[in-house]
């Protein structure tokens, strides 16, 4: 029902736009040049006056509807269920009632649960229809108010632009709040982890074996949380990927901008960008079925023992995956360099290669660094290729021919299944996430410093 309501809001806003624009056109026909705003601004004012408040109402309604219905449901539960029950047990009852109301049942529910599910379904339907009725009434009232405010001298353009300013400021504030929420949640859970595990063990320990004690007498149940092997594995695979991607991506961008004719460019550039749309699981299959066996066979020719899961296979395939990020952004940055700079360098006697290395690359360095940074972030955050080609074992090694694991793989592994945030094993995922966040932030700061150092300013 929510989807249909959003569609109705869009259609009603379009109708309000045409109504407002028609009113503006009549003002122009009657008043001529004395009309303050063009008809399109009268239409935009009416559309945003109708659509934006209603959409905000629907979002708030959906945010609070479930909490209100749940509170009514808990209050209506019979004493046979709630007497002596803890908050966790009541939550289980509510989950069971919701499953029964949705039809996700595998056995005959108790009569109390079945009756509560029927009440819950009825209240949900009433709440949804009430939301629809209120939204439609609000849109009709907003259209009436917008139409009544329209006049030849009404400043519809300024009102519309102020509304756009509010939307953009709210979007920026929402993005900032989401970022702060991520930081706060990661920091809080990481602090809980460091209360159980010393930070010195986490940051300097050389053994990563997170465990949960199953029995009270289990000796190895406390686990080992030395994350150095996880960090080194992440760094090793990301370094291999960048070693593969940076030269290929940058040189392909230089070729497409400086040497390729339009026909060749029109063929090669789309093929390169297709690589960015290939699912990572496909790259993982390619690494397992093609690259890893090829590396093992090549190693056997020289008598080198290579692990079935190796950092080299994962890093090489990951490097192929991130080539489009470097190539596309470097291509755009090189094309943005003014042609007069090329002509001036060649006129001064520089060769074409000297022009590329001493003029084009320094001028395009901000865009190139942006592409490399995006590629590095993509490599650090990749999971599927590492799981399939490099393995899950935390191995402290700098040998690319052995298997390693990464931070993201360990985070996924630690949070798989039913998790409770009261043990070091689960909480260690948040500590890893916080470190990954800080490292990415440091990479961004370093890239900004490099860009500021080499940025050229042109008059």
């Amino acid at each position: 029902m929510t989807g249909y309501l959003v569609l109705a809001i869009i259609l009603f806003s379009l109708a309000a736009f045409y109504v407002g624009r028609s009113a503006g056109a009549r003002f122009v026909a009657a008043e001529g040049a004395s009309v303050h705003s063009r008809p399109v601004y009268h239409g935009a004012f009416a559309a945003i006056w109708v659509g934006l408040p209603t959409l905000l109402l629907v979002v708030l309604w959906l945010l609070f509807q479930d909490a209100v219905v749940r509170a009514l449901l808990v209050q209506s539960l019979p004493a046979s269920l709630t007497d002596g029950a803890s908050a966790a047990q009541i939550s289980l009852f509510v989950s069971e009632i919701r499953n029964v109301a949705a039809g996700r049942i595998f056995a005959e529910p108790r009569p109390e649960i079945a009756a509560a599910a029927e009440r819950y379904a009825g209240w949900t339907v009433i709440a949804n229809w009430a939301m629809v009725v209120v939204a439609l009434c609000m849109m009709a009232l907003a259209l009436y108010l917008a139409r009544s405010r329209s006049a030849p001298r009404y400043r519809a353009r300024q009102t519309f632009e102020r509304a756009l300013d509010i939307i953009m400021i709210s979007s920026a504030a929402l993005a900032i709040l989401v970022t702060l929420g991520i930081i706060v949640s990661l920091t809080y859970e990481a602090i809980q982890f460091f209360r159980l595990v010393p930070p010195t063990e986490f940051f300097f320990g050389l053994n990563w074996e997170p465990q949960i004690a199953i029995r009270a007498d289990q000796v190895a149940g406390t686990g080992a949380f030395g994350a150095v092997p996880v960090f080194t594995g992440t760094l090793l695979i990301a370094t291999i990927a960048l070693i593969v991607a940076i030269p290929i991506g940058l040189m392909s961008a230089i070729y497409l901008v400086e040497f390729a004719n339009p026909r060749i460019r029109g063929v090669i550039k789309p093929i390169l960008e297709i690589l960015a749309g290939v699912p990572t699981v496909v790259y993982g299959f390619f690494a397992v079925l093609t690259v890893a066996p090829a590396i093992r066979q090549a190693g056997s020719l020289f008598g080198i023992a290579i692990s079935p899961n190796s950092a080299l296979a994962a890093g090489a395939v990951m490097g192929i995956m991130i080539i489009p990020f470097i190539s596309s952004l470097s291509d755009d940055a090189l094309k943005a360099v003014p042609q007069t700079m090329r002509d001036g360098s060649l006129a001064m006697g520089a060769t074409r290669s000297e022009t590329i290395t001493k003029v084009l690359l320094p001028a395009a360095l901000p865009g190139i660094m942006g592409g490399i940074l995006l590629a590095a972030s993509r490599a650090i955050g990749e999971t599927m290729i590492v799981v399939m080609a490099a393995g899950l074992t935390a191995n402290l090694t700098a040998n690319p021919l052995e298997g390693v694991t990464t931070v993201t793989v360990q985070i996924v592994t630690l949070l798989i299944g039913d998790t409770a945030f009261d043990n070091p094993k689960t909480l260690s995922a948040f500590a890893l996430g916080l470190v990954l966040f800080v490292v990415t932030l440091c990479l961004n700061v370093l890239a900004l410093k490099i860009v500021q150092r080499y940025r050229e300013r042109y008059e």
Side-chain angles (χ1 to χ4, degrees), residues 120-421:
Y120 175 79
W123 289 338
T124 302
V125 171
I126 293 173
N128 288 334
W129 278 110
M131 177 179 64
V132 172
V133 172
V134 172
L136 292 177
C137 294
M138 186 172 182
M139 287 190 291
L141 178 61
L143 179 59
Y144 171 77
L145 294 176
R147 180 64 186 87
S148 63
R149 294 186 64 180
S150 297
R153 300 301 301 167
Y154 181 69
R155 298 177 179 269
R157 180 171 62 85
Q158 282 82 351
T159 305
F160 173 69
E161 290 176 349
R162 282 197 300 270
L164 288 183
D165 291 340
I166 293 173
I167 293 174
M168 290 185 286
I169 293 173
S170 301
S171 299
L174 179 62
I176 294 173
L177 290 176
V178 169
T179 304
L180 291 177
I182 293 173
I183 296 173
V184 170
S185 61
L186 285 177
T187 304
Y188 176 78
E189 299 295 343
I191 290 174
Q192 302 303 315
F193 169 74
F194 289 126
R195 288 177 178 174
L196 302 174
V197 177
T200 53
E201 178 185 350
F202 179 77
F203 289 107
F204 302 106
L206 305 181
N207 187 19
W208 177 262
E209 293 180 0
Q211 301 291 337
I212 297 178
I214 300 176
R215 302 185 310 274
D217 59 344
Q218 187 174 357
V219 177
T222 56
F225 295 92
V228 172
V230 181
F231 298 147
T232 56
T234 303
L235 181 62
L236 178 61
I237 291 181
T239 301
I240 295 172
L242 292 176
I243 290 174
V244 172
I246 290 176
I248 298 176
L250 186 56
M251 287 189 289
S252 63
I254 293 173
Y255 170 74
L256 291 175
V257 173
E258 298 297 321
F259 298 99
N261 59 53
R263 179 177 297 177
I264 295 178
R265 176 183 171 84
V267 174
I268 295 179
K269 187 172 175 60
I271 293 176
L272 281 175
E273 293 179 348
I274 285 175
L275 293 175
V278 177
T280 56
V281 67
V282 176
Y283 283 110
F285 281 124
F286 176 65
V288 171
L289 300 178
T290 305
V291 177
I295 292 176
R296 290 198 301 272
Q297 291 177 4
S300 63
L301 295 177
F302 297 97
I304 301 175
I306 300 177
S307 173
N309 295 322
S310 65
L312 181 59
V317 175
M318 194 182 299
I320 296 173
M321 180 189 68
I322 63 178
I323 285 175
F325 296 97
I326 299 177
S327 176
S328 180
L329 292 178
S330 300
D331 183 289
D332 295 337
L334 290 170
K335 286 181 64 178
V337 177
Q339 182 63 35
T340 54
M341 296 186 61
R342 298 176 174 84
D343 298 338
S345 176
L346 296 173
M348 293 294 292
T351 63
R352 199 164 188 180
S353 61
E354 290 174 338
T355 300
I356 292 173
T357 57
K358 297 182 181 299
V359 177
L360 296 184
L361 290 180
L365 186 62
I368 295 173
M369 284 302 303
I372 294 175
L373 176 64
L374 180 62
S377 300
R378 186 71 175 85
I380 292 174
E382 176 54 37
T383 304
M384 186 59 66
I385 296 176
V386 182
V387 170
M388 300 178 69
L392 301 175
T393 304
N395 185 19
L396 181 58
T397 179
N399 185 0
L401 303 182
E402 296 183 10
V404 295
T405 189
T406 62
V407 172
T408 54
V409 171
Q410 288 301 310
I411 291 174
V412 172
T413 304
L414 294 168
L415 296 179
I416 286 177
D418 295 332
T419 57
F421 300 137

Side-chain angles (χ1 to χ4, degrees), residues 6-22 40 42-52 139 143:
V6 172
L7 180 60
I9 293 173
I10 295 174
L11 295 177
F12 212 100
S13 299
L14 290 175
F17 173 80
Y18 287 111
V19 171
R21 192 178 66 173
S22 300
V40 66
H42 285 278
F45 160 72
I48 204 167
W49 187 264
V50 168
L52 189 59
M139 287 190 291
L143 179 59

Side-chain angles (χ1 to χ4, degrees), residues 417-435:
D418 295 332
T419 57
F421 300 137
D422 58 356
N423 59 79
K425 178 180 178 180
T426 304
L427 292 173
S428 63
F430 295 93
L432 291 173
L434 181 61
V435 172

